[in-house]
Amino acid sequence: MGVAVSVQQVVKCFGGLRALDGVSLNITEGEFFGLLGPNGAGKTTLISCLAGLVRATSGSLSVMGHDVAADYRASRRLLGVVPQELVFDPFFTVRETLQIQSGYFGIRDNGAWIDEILENLDLTAKANTNMRRLSGGMKRRVLVAQALVHKPPVIVLDEPTAGVDVELRQGLWSFIRRLNQEGHTIILTTHYLEEAETLCDRIAMLKQGKVVALDTTRNLLSRYAGHALILRLDNGTPLPGDLCARAVYTDGEWVVRLGGLDEIEPILAQLRLAGCRVLDLRLVQADLEDVFVSLMQGNVATPSGGLAS
Amino acid sequence: MIGFRTLLYKELLRFWKVGFQTVAAPVLTSLLYLLIFSHVLEGHATVNGIHYTAFLIPGLVMMSVLQNAFSNSSSSLIQAKVMGSVVFVLLPPFSYVEFYLAYMLAAMLRGLMVGVGVLAVTGWFAPLSAAAPLWIVVFAVIGGAIMGSLGMIAGIWADKFDQLAGFQNFLIVPLTMLSGVFYSIHSLPGFWQKLSHFNPLFYMIDGFRFGFFGVSDVAPLTSLIVASACFLTVATATLYMLRSGYKLRY
């Protein structure tokens, strides 16, 4: 598999602000890649650099081997971007919008594919409705459709499910998954971390314009989070000394981080020996949110109660 | 080429969809100017031996061409920028020359369409001739191209609607109103006559009017040279702005 997107040492300054501070990453063809980070981390700036909406101060970016500055016509043809802002052209109907967008990318007679996109995004009934008359969720679907009219091999979705109802979100993801299975590379930014955890093969986390983590979703979860044992003891009972030292007490519960599952039995034995009366015991596995929070705080993750295993 | 043609088509469709506002309204405005000025001045004034109403009509036609060409490209760009829909024309693989030509030609065509409309409704009020029809077409086309380009500059430069309105109200409208649409500059006092020669729109209107009557305040070739130089200047400036990404690609 070749490289779909290459980002090398990209710096973008807006006045004194370094929105991107030496970002480097490669995204392989066919990957479902997540770009995560808090507001202002530089996700949209990075996407905008890739799309040519923003010009990098230094560094280079390419789409399917085509430099976004030197060979911008080829790189833009290979890229489909769903912008974060809910923007639309109020003069046209949904179908006109998609026909015009097809033409922009040099495609005539795109009716069959437009019909398929409309069908998959549940927009067929609104095809001849003016953009102004659509609800926010519908406008969001049209934005997705616009990014797909030219069947780009690389699709960038900048928070595509913000403000979108559950039903559409599921429909949208099954459509995007299908495109991914057909070979399209997907780059996703989202604030819904469970979406990223479910969908993305690999994730980059950005913080203040820098990549603070770049790995497969599975590795991120196991490296930064792992399991934890959550204990509720009978009123006032203290944890045995060495166990107490490695545990965190919050909301009436002790959270004991585990290096591995084989630590469970010795801990239980220690509790028995100390005569602790256990009222409740849960084993939890950290989710991406824990990883995200811990990375953004710059420390090691402590599982706070995600998926029970 | 399909990309460029689609962008041009979209720009034409944009104003055509609101044709009542973008074509019919300026035609009506020009008709009102004609009715009022010709009522007041017809019979009292002739210009270069031409009846005032006949003199006024080509001026109004050209003023409409110029103002509407400017309005089209400037309003299209500022609306797209303010609403954010400008991304739809920034993401596709247009070259900056294609981008320029599509917006400029659409603006010029709207200007010409309104000009034809004004001529159609005002031409009944006075006998008009076409002494040099080629000059009529040449000046209308160059005038539309200049103002379409200038509209792009204003639309790209302005961040807000009121900045664009300032550009239009304090630069474009005074330049068109004081360009000899309503009078011959020979009727002005010396200072104002000299000052009018620094107004590039004066040459466009004067050259355009020459096409109808075969008489003008300055030689039509001089007007053509001035208009061509203006076009080259604004076209180069617009292309430079687009190539550098000024206020479009940050």
Side-chain angles (χ1 to χ4, degrees), chain A residues 219-249:
Chain A
N219 281 351
L220 278 177
L221 286 169
S222 62
R223 191 187 323 154
Y224 288 97
H227 292 85
L229 204 58
I230 306 209
L231 300 162
R232 191 136 59 84
L233 304 180
D234 200 6
N235 257 355
T237 316
L239 270 185
D242 58 334
L243 208 53
C244 188
R246 59 186 279 202
V248 178
Y249 188 74

PDB file of all heavy atoms in Angstrom, chain A residues 219-249:
ATOM      1  N   ASN A 219      -3.101  -0.054  19.987  1.00  0.00           N
ATOM      2  CA  ASN A 219      -1.879   0.218  20.752  1.00  0.00           C
ATOM      3  C   ASN A 219      -2.045   1.383  21.706  1.00  0.00           C
ATOM      4  O   ASN A 219      -1.540   1.350  22.830  1.00  0.00           O
ATOM      5  CB  ASN A 219      -0.712   0.516  19.810  1.00  0.00           C
ATOM      6  CG  ASN A 219      -0.133  -0.752  19.216  1.00  0.00           C
ATOM      7  OD1 ASN A 219      -0.505  -1.838  19.645  1.00  0.00           O
ATOM      8  ND2 ASN A 219       0.729  -0.608  18.229  1.00  0.00           N
ATOM      9  N   LEU A 220      -2.750   2.417  21.238  1.00  0.00           N
ATOM     10  CA  LEU A 220      -2.963   3.579  22.104  1.00  0.00           C
ATOM     11  C   LEU A 220      -3.715   3.160  23.352  1.00  0.00           C
ATOM     12  O   LEU A 220      -3.365   3.553  24.471  1.00  0.00           O
ATOM     13  CB  LEU A 220      -3.770   4.654  21.365  1.00  0.00           C
ATOM     14  CG  LEU A 220      -3.005   5.573  20.427  1.00  0.00           C
ATOM     15  CD1 LEU A 220      -3.969   6.513  19.724  1.00  0.00           C
ATOM     16  CD2 LEU A 220      -1.976   6.392  21.193  1.00  0.00           C
ATOM     17  N   LEU A 221      -4.750   2.333  23.135  1.00  0.00           N
ATOM     18  CA  LEU A 221      -5.565   1.910  24.271  1.00  0.00           C
ATOM     19  C   LEU A 221      -4.745   1.064  25.248  1.00  0.00           C
ATOM     20  O   LEU A 221      -4.826   1.262  26.454  1.00  0.00           O
ATOM     21  CB  LEU A 221      -6.777   1.108  23.780  1.00  0.00           C
ATOM     22  CG  LEU A 221      -7.876   1.947  23.125  1.00  0.00           C
ATOM     23  CD1 LEU A 221      -8.902   1.057  22.447  1.00  0.00           C
ATOM     24  CD2 LEU A 221      -8.557   2.836  24.152  1.00  0.00           C
ATOM     25  N   SER A 222      -3.952   0.160  24.696  1.00  0.00           N
ATOM     26  CA  SER A 222      -3.226  -0.723  25.615  1.00  0.00           C
ATOM     27  C   SER A 222      -2.021  -0.013  26.237  1.00  0.00           C
ATOM     28  O   SER A 222      -1.717  -0.208  27.401  1.00  0.00           O
ATOM     29  CB  SER A 222      -2.798  -2.003  24.906  1.00  0.00           C
ATOM     30  OG  SER A 222      -1.932  -1.670  23.855  1.00  0.00           O
ATOM     31  N   ARG A 223      -1.359   0.863  25.448  1.00  0.00           N
ATOM     32  CA  ARG A 223      -0.167   1.497  25.989  1.00  0.00           C
ATOM     33  C   ARG A 223      -0.498   2.548  27.045  1.00  0.00           C
ATOM     34  O   ARG A 223       0.152   2.646  28.071  1.00  0.00           O
ATOM     35  CB  ARG A 223       0.641   2.150  24.869  1.00  0.00           C
ATOM     36  CG  ARG A 223       2.017   2.579  25.385  1.00  0.00           C
ATOM     37  CD  ARG A 223       2.816   3.379  24.406  1.00  0.00           C
ATOM     38  NE  ARG A 223       2.657   2.966  23.026  1.00  0.00           N
ATOM     39  CZ  ARG A 223       2.850   3.806  22.013  1.00  0.00           C
ATOM     40  NH1 ARG A 223       3.154   5.060  22.249  1.00  0.00           N
ATOM     41  NH2 ARG A 223       2.698   3.391  20.771  1.00  0.00           N
ATOM     42  N   TYR A 224      -1.497   3.348  26.755  1.00  0.00           N
ATOM     43  CA  TYR A 224      -1.754   4.471  27.658  1.00  0.00           C
ATOM     44  C   TYR A 224      -2.799   4.160  28.725  1.00  0.00           C
ATOM     45  O   TYR A 224      -2.952   4.900  29.653  1.00  0.00           O
ATOM     46  CB  TYR A 224      -2.204   5.691  26.868  1.00  0.00           C
ATOM     47  CG  TYR A 224      -1.078   6.302  26.080  1.00  0.00           C
ATOM     48  CD1 TYR A 224      -0.913   5.994  24.736  1.00  0.00           C
ATOM     49  CD2 TYR A 224      -0.173   7.158  26.697  1.00  0.00           C
ATOM     50  CE1 TYR A 224       0.123   6.548  24.010  1.00  0.00           C
ATOM     51  CE2 TYR A 224       0.871   7.709  25.975  1.00  0.00           C
ATOM     52  CZ  TYR A 224       1.016   7.403  24.636  1.00  0.00           C
ATOM     53  OH  TYR A 224       2.037   7.944  23.930  1.00  0.00           O
ATOM     54  N   ALA A 225      -3.563   3.073  28.539  1.00  0.00           N
ATOM     55  CA  ALA A 225      -4.675   2.922  29.450  1.00  0.00           C
ATOM     56  C   ALA A 225      -4.690   1.568  30.161  1.00  0.00           C
ATOM     57  O   ALA A 225      -4.431   1.473  31.337  1.00  0.00           O
ATOM     58  CB  ALA A 225      -5.969   3.125  28.681  1.00  0.00           C
ATOM     59  N   GLY A 226      -4.943   0.500  29.473  1.00  0.00           N
ATOM     60  CA  GLY A 226      -4.993  -0.808  30.125  1.00  0.00           C
ATOM     61  C   GLY A 226      -6.217  -0.951  31.022  1.00  0.00           C
ATOM     62  O   GLY A 226      -7.233  -0.304  30.815  1.00  0.00           O
ATOM     63  N   HIS A 227      -6.054  -1.807  32.079  1.00  0.00           N
ATOM     64  CA  HIS A 227      -7.185  -2.099  32.952  1.00  0.00           C
ATOM     65  C   HIS A 227      -7.005  -1.464  34.324  1.00  0.00           C
ATOM     66  O   HIS A 227      -5.901  -1.097  34.708  1.00  0.00           O
ATOM     67  CB  HIS A 227      -7.324  -3.614  33.136  1.00  0.00           C
ATOM     68  CG  HIS A 227      -7.739  -4.314  31.888  1.00  0.00           C
ATOM     69  ND1 HIS A 227      -6.835  -4.715  30.925  1.00  0.00           N
ATOM     70  CD2 HIS A 227      -8.964  -4.680  31.427  1.00  0.00           C
ATOM     71  CE1 HIS A 227      -7.484  -5.301  29.925  1.00  0.00           C
ATOM     72  NE2 HIS A 227      -8.781  -5.292  30.209  1.00  0.00           N
ATOM     73  N   ALA A 228      -8.118  -1.410  35.039  1.00  0.00           N
ATOM     74  CA  ALA A 228      -8.056  -0.960  36.430  1.00  0.00           C
ATOM     75  C   ALA A 228      -9.116  -1.702  37.236  1.00  0.00           C
ATOM     76  O   ALA A 228     -10.136  -2.122  36.680  1.00  0.00           O
ATOM     77  CB  ALA A 228      -8.288   0.534  36.520  1.00  0.00           C
ATOM     78  N   LEU A 229      -8.822  -1.850  38.504  1.00  0.00           N
ATOM     79  CA  LEU A 229      -9.764  -2.506  39.407  1.00  0.00           C
ATOM     80  C   LEU A 229     -10.404  -1.418  40.254  1.00  0.00           C
ATOM     81  O   LEU A 229      -9.701  -0.584  40.834  1.00  0.00           O
ATOM     82  CB  LEU A 229      -8.972  -3.477  40.299  1.00  0.00           C
ATOM     83  CG  LEU A 229      -9.721  -4.638  40.912  1.00  0.00           C
ATOM     84  CD1 LEU A 229     -10.372  -5.518  39.856  1.00  0.00           C
ATOM     85  CD2 LEU A 229      -8.745  -5.472  41.755  1.00  0.00           C
ATOM     86  N   ILE A 230     -11.715  -1.432  40.296  1.00  0.00           N
ATOM     87  CA  ILE A 230     -12.403  -0.410  41.083  1.00  0.00           C
ATOM     88  C   ILE A 230     -13.046  -1.095  42.300  1.00  0.00           C
ATOM     89  O   ILE A 230     -13.810  -2.055  42.151  1.00  0.00           O
ATOM     90  CB  ILE A 230     -13.460   0.308  40.240  1.00  0.00           C
ATOM     91  CG1 ILE A 230     -12.777   0.836  38.992  1.00  0.00           C
ATOM     92  CG2 ILE A 230     -14.172   1.374  41.043  1.00  0.00           C
ATOM     93  CD1 ILE A 230     -13.316   2.047  38.374  1.00  0.00           C
ATOM     94  N   LEU A 231     -12.711  -0.595  43.464  1.00  0.00           N
ATOM     95  CA  LEU A 231     -13.133  -1.259  44.704  1.00  0.00           C
ATOM     96  C   LEU A 231     -13.937  -0.301  45.568  1.00  0.00           C
ATOM     97  O   LEU A 231     -13.585   0.878  45.696  1.00  0.00           O
ATOM     98  CB  LEU A 231     -11.899  -1.679  45.509  1.00  0.00           C
ATOM     99  CG  LEU A 231     -10.925  -2.652  44.857  1.00  0.00           C
ATOM    100  CD1 LEU A 231      -9.591  -2.598  45.574  1.00  0.00           C
ATOM    101  CD2 LEU A 231     -11.508  -4.054  44.888  1.00  0.00           C
ATOM    102  N   ARG A 232     -15.015  -0.832  46.143  1.00  0.00           N
ATOM    103  CA  ARG A 232     -15.720  -0.055  47.189  1.00  0.00           C
ATOM    104  C   ARG A 232     -15.679  -0.903  48.461  1.00  0.00           C
ATOM    105  O   ARG A 232     -16.123  -2.064  48.456  1.00  0.00           O
ATOM    106  CB  ARG A 232     -17.151   0.233  46.766  1.00  0.00           C
ATOM    107  CG  ARG A 232     -17.844   1.237  47.664  1.00  0.00           C
ATOM    108  CD  ARG A 232     -18.624   2.267  46.826  1.00  0.00           C
ATOM    109  NE  ARG A 232     -19.624   1.628  45.992  1.00  0.00           N
ATOM    110  CZ  ARG A 232     -20.836   1.308  46.436  1.00  0.00           C
ATOM    111  NH1 ARG A 232     -21.196   1.581  47.674  1.00  0.00           N
ATOM    112  NH2 ARG A 232     -21.685   0.719  45.630  1.00  0.00           N
ATOM    113  N   LEU A 233     -15.093  -0.324  49.475  1.00  0.00           N
ATOM    114  CA  LEU A 233     -14.897  -1.081  50.719  1.00  0.00           C
ATOM    115  C   LEU A 233     -15.904  -0.655  51.764  1.00  0.00           C
ATOM    116  O   LEU A 233     -16.502   0.430  51.668  1.00  0.00           O
ATOM    117  CB  LEU A 233     -13.470  -0.854  51.232  1.00  0.00           C
ATOM    118  CG  LEU A 233     -12.336  -1.199  50.260  1.00  0.00           C
ATOM    119  CD1 LEU A 233     -10.988  -0.920  50.906  1.00  0.00           C
ATOM    120  CD2 LEU A 233     -12.417  -2.654  49.821  1.00  0.00           C
ATOM    121  N   ASP A 234     -16.073  -1.505  52.726  1.00  0.00           N
ATOM    122  CA  ASP A 234     -16.972  -1.201  53.845  1.00  0.00           C
ATOM    123  C   ASP A 234     -16.506   0.101  54.505  1.00  0.00           C
ATOM    124  O   ASP A 234     -15.308   0.385  54.546  1.00  0.00           O
ATOM    125  CB  ASP A 234     -16.905  -2.357  54.859  1.00  0.00           C
ATOM    126  CG  ASP A 234     -18.129  -2.344  55.761  1.00  0.00           C
ATOM    127  OD1 ASP A 234     -19.037  -1.525  55.494  1.00  0.00           O
ATOM    128  OD2 ASP A 234     -18.166  -3.143  56.704  1.00  0.00           O
ATOM    129  N   ASN A 235     -17.461   0.867  54.977  1.00  0.00           N
ATOM    130  CA  ASN A 235     -17.180   2.204  55.530  1.00  0.00           C
ATOM    131  C   ASN A 235     -15.920   2.297  56.378  1.00  0.00           C
ATOM    132  O   ASN A 235     -15.760   1.565  57.347  1.00  0.00           O
ATOM    133  CB  ASN A 235     -18.361   2.644  56.401  1.00  0.00           C
ATOM    134  CG  ASN A 235     -19.189   3.644  55.629  1.00  0.00           C
ATOM    135  OD1 ASN A 235     -18.802   4.024  54.529  1.00  0.00           O
ATOM    136  ND2 ASN A 235     -20.317   4.036  56.192  1.00  0.00           N
ATOM    137  N   GLY A 236     -15.064   3.184  55.970  1.00  0.00           N
ATOM    138  CA  GLY A 236     -13.899   3.470  56.800  1.00  0.00           C
ATOM    139  C   GLY A 236     -12.753   2.482  56.709  1.00  0.00           C
ATOM    140  O   GLY A 236     -11.678   2.739  57.237  1.00  0.00           O
ATOM    141  N   THR A 237     -12.956   1.375  56.030  1.00  0.00           N
ATOM    142  CA  THR A 237     -11.877   0.393  55.955  1.00  0.00           C
ATOM    143  C   THR A 237     -10.753   0.939  55.085  1.00  0.00           C
ATOM    144  O   THR A 237     -11.010   1.342  53.952  1.00  0.00           O
ATOM    145  CB  THR A 237     -12.389  -0.920  55.318  1.00  0.00           C
ATOM    146  OG1 THR A 237     -13.634  -1.225  55.871  1.00  0.00           O
ATOM    147  CG2 THR A 237     -11.400  -2.048  55.534  1.00  0.00           C
ATOM    148  N   PRO A 238      -9.510   0.985  55.593  1.00  0.00           N
ATOM    149  CA  PRO A 238      -8.417   1.469  54.746  1.00  0.00           C
ATOM    150  C   PRO A 238      -7.876   0.349  53.862  1.00  0.00           C
ATOM    151  O   PRO A 238      -8.049  -0.830  54.182  1.00  0.00           O
ATOM    152  CB  PRO A 238      -7.361   1.891  55.770  1.00  0.00           C
ATOM    153  CG  PRO A 238      -7.610   1.011  56.941  1.00  0.00           C
ATOM    154  CD  PRO A 238      -9.057   0.604  56.947  1.00  0.00           C
ATOM    155  N   LEU A 239      -7.256   0.738  52.772  1.00  0.00           N
ATOM    156  CA  LEU A 239      -6.586  -0.244  51.916  1.00  0.00           C
ATOM    157  C   LEU A 239      -5.270  -0.622  52.584  1.00  0.00           C
ATOM    158  O   LEU A 239      -4.671   0.208  53.276  1.00  0.00           O
ATOM    159  CB  LEU A 239      -6.270   0.360  50.553  1.00  0.00           C
ATOM    160  CG  LEU A 239      -7.290   0.240  49.428  1.00  0.00           C
ATOM    161  CD1 LEU A 239      -6.676   0.799  48.161  1.00  0.00           C
ATOM    162  CD2 LEU A 239      -7.735  -1.193  49.197  1.00  0.00           C
ATOM    163  N   PRO A 240      -4.798  -1.828  52.379  1.00  0.00           N
ATOM    164  CA  PRO A 240      -3.477  -2.181  52.906  1.00  0.00           C
ATOM    165  C   PRO A 240      -2.415  -1.226  52.359  1.00  0.00           C
ATOM    166  O   PRO A 240      -2.557  -0.748  51.217  1.00  0.00           O
ATOM    167  CB  PRO A 240      -3.249  -3.594  52.368  1.00  0.00           C
ATOM    168  CG  PRO A 240      -4.593  -4.101  51.971  1.00  0.00           C
ATOM    169  CD  PRO A 240      -5.444  -2.924  51.685  1.00  0.00           C
ATOM    170  N   GLY A 241      -1.402  -0.965  53.152  1.00  0.00           N
ATOM    171  CA  GLY A 241      -0.399   0.078  52.870  1.00  0.00           C
ATOM    172  C   GLY A 241       0.122   0.170  51.451  1.00  0.00           C
ATOM    173  O   GLY A 241      -0.071   1.199  50.786  1.00  0.00           O
ATOM    174  N   ASP A 242       0.744  -0.887  50.919  1.00  0.00           N
ATOM    175  CA  ASP A 242       1.384  -0.745  49.602  1.00  0.00           C
ATOM    176  C   ASP A 242       0.353  -0.618  48.491  1.00  0.00           C
ATOM    177  O   ASP A 242       0.577   0.029  47.468  1.00  0.00           O
ATOM    178  CB  ASP A 242       2.331  -1.922  49.329  1.00  0.00           C
ATOM    179  CG  ASP A 242       1.615  -3.252  49.378  1.00  0.00           C
ATOM    180  OD1 ASP A 242       0.585  -3.322  50.088  1.00  0.00           O
ATOM    181  OD2 ASP A 242       2.069  -4.197  48.710  1.00  0.00           O
ATOM    182  N   LEU A 243      -0.820  -1.205  48.723  1.00  0.00           N
ATOM    183  CA  LEU A 243      -1.904  -1.087  47.739  1.00  0.00           C
ATOM    184  C   LEU A 243      -2.441   0.348  47.722  1.00  0.00           C
ATOM    185  O   LEU A 243      -2.736   0.921  46.671  1.00  0.00           O
ATOM    186  CB  LEU A 243      -3.020  -2.077  48.122  1.00  0.00           C
ATOM    187  CG  LEU A 243      -3.893  -2.612  47.000  1.00  0.00           C
ATOM    188  CD1 LEU A 243      -3.074  -3.214  45.891  1.00  0.00           C
ATOM    189  CD2 LEU A 243      -4.886  -3.639  47.553  1.00  0.00           C
ATOM    190  N   CYS A 244      -2.522   0.910  48.931  1.00  0.00           N
ATOM    191  CA  CYS A 244      -3.023   2.284  49.087  1.00  0.00           C
ATOM    192  C   CYS A 244      -2.125   3.274  48.323  1.00  0.00           C
ATOM    193  O   CYS A 244      -2.602   4.232  47.742  1.00  0.00           O
ATOM    194  CB  CYS A 244      -3.062   2.626  50.567  1.00  0.00           C
ATOM    195  SG  CYS A 244      -3.862   4.194  50.909  1.00  0.00           S
ATOM    196  N   ALA A 245      -0.831   2.973  48.330  1.00  0.00           N
ATOM    197  CA  ALA A 245       0.125   3.887  47.703  1.00  0.00           C
ATOM    198  C   ALA A 245      -0.071   3.980  46.190  1.00  0.00           C
ATOM    199  O   ALA A 245       0.224   5.015  45.586  1.00  0.00           O
ATOM    200  CB  ALA A 245       1.542   3.419  48.012  1.00  0.00           C
ATOM    201  N   ARG A 246      -0.538   2.920  45.567  1.00  0.00           N
ATOM    202  CA  ARG A 246      -0.689   2.946  44.100  1.00  0.00           C
ATOM    203  C   ARG A 246      -2.134   3.182  43.661  1.00  0.00           C
ATOM    204  O   ARG A 246      -2.434   3.126  42.463  1.00  0.00           O
ATOM    205  CB  ARG A 246      -0.171   1.631  43.496  1.00  0.00           C
ATOM    206  CG  ARG A 246      -0.898   0.403  44.027  1.00  0.00           C
ATOM    207  CD  ARG A 246      -0.283  -0.879  43.520  1.00  0.00           C
ATOM    208  NE  ARG A 246      -0.739  -1.193  42.194  1.00  0.00           N
ATOM    209  CZ  ARG A 246      -0.719  -2.423  41.670  1.00  0.00           C
ATOM    210  NH1 ARG A 246      -0.243  -3.435  42.381  1.00  0.00           N
ATOM    211  NH2 ARG A 246      -1.163  -2.642  40.458  1.00  0.00           N
ATOM    212  N   ALA A 247      -3.044   3.419  44.623  1.00  0.00           N
ATOM    213  CA  ALA A 247      -4.466   3.596  44.270  1.00  0.00           C
ATOM    214  C   ALA A 247      -4.881   5.063  44.389  1.00  0.00           C
ATOM    215  O   ALA A 247      -4.213   5.858  45.049  1.00  0.00           O
ATOM    216  CB  ALA A 247      -5.330   2.740  45.179  1.00  0.00           C
ATOM    217  N   VAL A 248      -5.969   5.384  43.703  1.00  0.00           N
ATOM    218  CA  VAL A 248      -6.522   6.746  43.776  1.00  0.00           C
ATOM    219  C   VAL A 248      -7.930   6.624  44.343  1.00  0.00           C
ATOM    220  O   VAL A 248      -8.686   5.739  43.938  1.00  0.00           O
ATOM    221  CB  VAL A 248      -6.579   7.383  42.372  1.00  0.00           C
ATOM    222  CG1 VAL A 248      -7.199   8.766  42.433  1.00  0.00           C
ATOM    223  CG2 VAL A 248      -5.199   7.447  41.752  1.00  0.00           C
ATOM    224  N   TYR A 249      -8.259   7.500  45.325  1.00  0.00           N
ATOM    225  CA  TYR A 249      -9.578   7.434  45.946  1.00  0.00           C
ATOM    226  C   TYR A 249     -10.444   8.562  45.389  1.00  0.00           C
ATOM    227  O   TYR A 249     -10.135   9.733  45.544  1.00  0.00           O
ATOM    228  CB  TYR A 249      -9.433   7.586  47.463  1.00  0.00           C
ATOM    229  CG  TYR A 249     -10.708   7.348  48.222  1.00  0.00           C
ATOM    230  CD1 TYR A 249     -11.203   6.057  48.392  1.00  0.00           C
ATOM    231  CD2 TYR A 249     -11.415   8.414  48.758  1.00  0.00           C
ATOM    232  CE1 TYR A 249     -12.386   5.828  49.088  1.00  0.00           C
ATOM    233  CE2 TYR A 249     -12.603   8.196  49.462  1.00  0.00           C
ATOM    234  CZ  TYR A 249     -13.080   6.909  49.619  1.00  0.00           C
ATOM    235  OH  TYR A 249     -14.255   6.692  50.296  1.00  0.00           O
TER     236      TYR A 249
END
